[in-house]
């Protein structure tokens, strides 16, 4: 016996099928993109080819492709643009185990990467996202005394006795009022303030030479440093100022890689992003903007733009 569907049931079934198609199409698009990128390996795939693979129309912009990449990155995939500024994008996908990336914090991932190398588990190291050049067989483990730490005892005594410590570093003599000594990122650092300089700086102990320790009590008090801000853009060298940049959305990962996460990011017309940074070390900011080249433009403030132009004119000798 055939029971005819009522009109409401039929419409509901049609709606469910339509919703299923809408949900299936984006997933199929991501699968196609991942498969093509994976097959290409290190050589990458041009953006124009990926637009066709995704099924986008000829009048669609590369913003549509960027949205797909954001979905993949949130799932743990690493996708990089191999092209230089102003060249057509060529995208490369790095294979890895996205499950591990999602379940582990950054510190846990780093610890597991080190353990994988020490255990000679190159397969696990690759799944964790290590570059192939650093995945090498480990035949023997040898514990060696680190070089360049013959001055560590003097550095610690300078902190304990509140004594000025003098040494050569990066080609010039220093007289430092010590704040603290700390082991971070596999290095020993002395934090302190040089004479006539209010900024607290960090010195790698293994790079010191001609170390001389002053009398106890000769140093002025400097607040201890709990966590080292080793990235130059975090150094408190200048009065804080907010610098605004504009970059194409496809170059945003490069901007973050060189300048770290911005204070604010806003999507703009034409597939661009406007990002704002709090700058406390202008020289370091200028140096990294030069590395980014034409991938970014400085919108403001005007005084920073003029400072940047003056620096470029000085380097060009004009």
């Amino acid at each position: 016996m055939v029971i005819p569907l009522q009109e409401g049931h039929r419409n509901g079934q049609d709606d469910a099928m339509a919703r299923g198609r809408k949900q299936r199409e984006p997933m199929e698009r991501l699968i196609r993109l991942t498969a093509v990128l994976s097959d290409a390996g290190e050589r990458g795939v041009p953006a124009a080819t990926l637009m066709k693979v995704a099924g986008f129309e000829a009048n669609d912009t590369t913003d549509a492709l960027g949205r797909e990449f954001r979905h993949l990155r949130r799932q743990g995939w690493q996708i990089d643009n191999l092209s230089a500024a102003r060249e057509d994008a060529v995208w490369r996908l790095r294979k890895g185990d996205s499950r591990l990336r999602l379940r582990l914090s950054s510190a846990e991932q780093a610890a597991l990467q080190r353990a994988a190398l020490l255990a000679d588990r190159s397969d696990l190291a690759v799944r964790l996202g290590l570059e192939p050049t650093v995945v090498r067989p480990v035949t023997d483990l040898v514990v060696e005394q680190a070089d360049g730490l013959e001055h560590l005892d003097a550095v610690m005594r300078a902190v304990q006795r509140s004594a000025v410590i003098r040494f050569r570093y990066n080609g010039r003599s220093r007289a430092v009022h010590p704040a603290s000594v700390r082991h971070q990122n596999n290095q020993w650092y002395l934090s302190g303030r040089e004479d006539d300089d209010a900024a607290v700086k960090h010195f790698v102990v293994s790079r010191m030479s001609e170390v001389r320790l002053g009398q106890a009590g000769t140093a002025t008090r400097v607040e201890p440093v709990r966590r080292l801000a080793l990235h130059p853009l975090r150094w408190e060298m200048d009065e804080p100022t907010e610098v605004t940049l504009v970059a194409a959305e496809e170059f945003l990962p490069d901007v973050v890689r060189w300048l770290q996460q911005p204070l604010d990011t806003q999507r703009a017309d034409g597939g661009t992003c406007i990002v704002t940074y709090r700058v406390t070390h202008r020289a370091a900011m200028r140096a990294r903007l030069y590395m980014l080249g034409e991938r970014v433009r400085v919108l403001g403030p005007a005084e920073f733009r003029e400072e940047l132009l003056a620096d470029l004119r000085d380097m060009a000798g004009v």
Side-chain angles (χ1 to χ4, degrees), residues 78-183:
Q78 180 181 338
I79 304 175
D80 302 312
N81 181 13
L82 302 178
S83 299
R86 294 198 172 184
E87 293 183 3
D88 293 337
V90 175
W91 295 100
R92 175 191 64 192
L93 180 141
R94 283 285 175 85
K95 299 178 182 179
D97 193 326
S98 57
R99 296 169 300 173
L100 288 170
R101 296 192 178 200
L102 290 171
R103 292 173 183 173
L104 301 179
S105 67
S106 297
E108 290 170 337
Q109 287 185 40
L112 189 53
Q113 286 174 346
R114 290 193 295 270
L117 290 177
L118 290 174
D120 196 12
R121 283 293 305 277
S122 58
D123 59 328
L124 179 58
V126 171
R127 288 172 62 197
L128 290 168
L130 284 179
E131 294 285 343
T133 53
V134 303
V135 181
R136 57 187 182 276
V138 179
T139 54
D140 293 300
L141 299 180
V142 180
V143 178
E144 297 180 351
Q145 178 66 38
D147 294 331
L149 294 183
E150 61 269 20
H151 305 304
L152 182 59
D153 182 61
V155 169
M156 289 184 169
R157 283 188 283 122
V159 174
Q160 293 166 355
R161 300 179 184 182
S162 189
V164 171
I165 183 169
R166 292 176 168 81
F167 52 88
R168 285 191 66 80
Y169 194 89
N170 283 352
R172 67 184 183 89
S173 298
R174 320 273 181 147
V176 174
H177 299 256
S180 56
V181 60
R182 186 181 183 89
H183 188 263

Side-chain angles (χ1 to χ4, degrees), residues 263-307:
L263 285 176
D264 182 62
T265 302
Q266 296 182 2
R267 306 292 173 184
D269 296 335
T272 61
C273 295
I274 297 175
V275 293
T276 303
Y277 283 92
R278 179 182 183 273
V279 177
T280 57
H281 193 346
R282 293 178 177 231
M285 184 66 168
R286 293 197 304 271
R288 288 174 180 257
L289 288 175
Y290 300 151
M291 297 297 295
L292 285 167
E294 295 182 349
R295 284 172 282 190
V296 295
R297 288 188 295 111
V298 179
L299 297 182
E303 62 174 294
F304 183 78
R305 282 173 53 89
E306 289 301 320
E307 187 177 294

